[in-house]
Amino acid sequence: MTKRSIAVFDFDGTLTTKDTMLIFIRYAKGTIPFIIGFCIFAPMIALMFMRIIDNHNCKQRLLSWFFKGMSYEEFAAKGKAFANNVSLISRQDTTKALLKHQQEGTEVYVVTASIVEWVAPYCQRLGVKQVIGTEMEVDNNGILTGKFKTHNCHGGEKVRRFLMVEPDRDSYFLYAYGDSSGDTEMLAMADEGHFVKL
């Protein structure tokens, strides 16, 4: 019996040439609020990117500052519209690899630490419906609480979340594409891992 084939792609730096979090914040909130927030959180952001402090708490505090109290409907609409901006920073080599896998009948997932609402709309344009990422918590009134519903989908959490959806690991051949230490565990689990560099 022939095994299924699955290809898992990271998003930021793998399917794009840049990290999308700060770009999305500026797009969604405007330049002046972005600059104010960036000045407040710049030291914390720098330490997060240098992996000196925990990225889960840092990212949650940053996104809470900008989006706590926003309706989920508005947040999701901004994420959908943001897909046009992602197209401008798409990475062509890995996008071609993704499309080639689709043409060959491989099932494709995007597994990312970024928030699903601004990743999935762009991925849908590529024909990818299976997106696993960090999720924002929404209260009973449809308002963002400023907290994460899930743990930050980074490192080992990527593997855990993916295996929740595809638990029978022996039943498929796994390709994985990533560009950073946050993809190390996924690449290690893959039958064929591709560490991509700009």
Side-chain angles (χ1 to χ4, degrees):
M1 182 176 177
T2 304
K3 286 186 175 183
R4 298 159 58 212
S5 292
I6 297 177
V8 172
F9 287 79
D10 170 53
F11 187 68
D12 296 287
T14 300
L15 291 177
T16 68
T17 59
K18 300 177 181 178
D19 187 275
T20 56
M21 182 175 68
L22 296 179
I23 300 172
F24 175 75
I25 291 172
R26 184 172 184 174
Y27 170 82
K29 300 299 291 187
T31 299
I32 293 176
F34 169 78
I35 291 173
I36 294 171
F38 183 80
C39 289
I40 293 171
F41 286 96
M44 184 181 294
I45 293 169
L47 291 173
M48 179 184 74
F49 281 114
M50 289 188 289
R51 301 180 185 86
I52 294 174
I53 63 173
D54 177 67
N55 58 18
H56 174 92
N57 291 324
C58 177
K59 189 194 305 190
Q60 183 172 249
R61 289 178 63 183
L62 177 66
L63 293 174
S64 177
W65 195 86
F66 281 105
F67 298 110
K68 182 179 180 180
M70 178 181 284
S71 72
Y72 175 78
E73 183 178 358
E74 180 183 358
F75 185 73
K78 288 181 181 294
K80 185 175 182 180
F82 182 65
N84 291 326
N85 294 57
V86 177
S87 297
L88 300 176
I89 57 169
S90 65
R91 182 171 170 162
Q92 296 305 306
D93 56 346
T94 46
T95 299
K96 287 179 181 178
L98 185 154
L99 296 175
K100 185 173 187 291
H101 277 299
Q102 290 176 323
Q103 292 167 358
E104 294 172 347
T106 301
E107 297 174 57
V108 176
Y109 284 80
V110 170
V111 183
T112 175
S114 282
I115 307 300
V116 171
E117 280 72 21
W118 77 66
V119 175
Y122 175 74
C123 292
Q124 288 168 3
R125 293 186 179 190
L126 298 178
V128 179
K129 298 179 180 179
Q130 302 174 113
V131 176
I132 299 171
T134 308
E135 299 176 17
M136 300 292 285
E137 183 181 78
V138 182
D139 69 15
N140 293 332
N141 296 313
I143 303 299
L144 300 184
T145 67
K147 298 179 180 179
F148 289 160
K149 179 181 177 181
T150 63
H151 196 76
N152 187 36
C153 192
H154 176 270
E157 181 68 7
K158 286 189 172 186
V159 171
R160 190 187 75 81
R161 293 279 303 282
F162 173 71
L163 290 176
M164 287 176 64
V165 182
E166 295 286 356
D168 190 2
R169 181 62 190 86
D170 292 332
S171 70
Y172 54 86
F173 186 96
L174 182 64
Y175 302 90
Y177 296 76
D179 74 302
S180 72
S181 62
D183 303 306
T184 300
E185 291 86 348
M186 183 67 77
L187 292 169
M189 182 177 71
D191 296 294
E192 184 178 311
H194 297 265
F195 186 84
V196 295
K197 298 180 180 180
L198 287 177

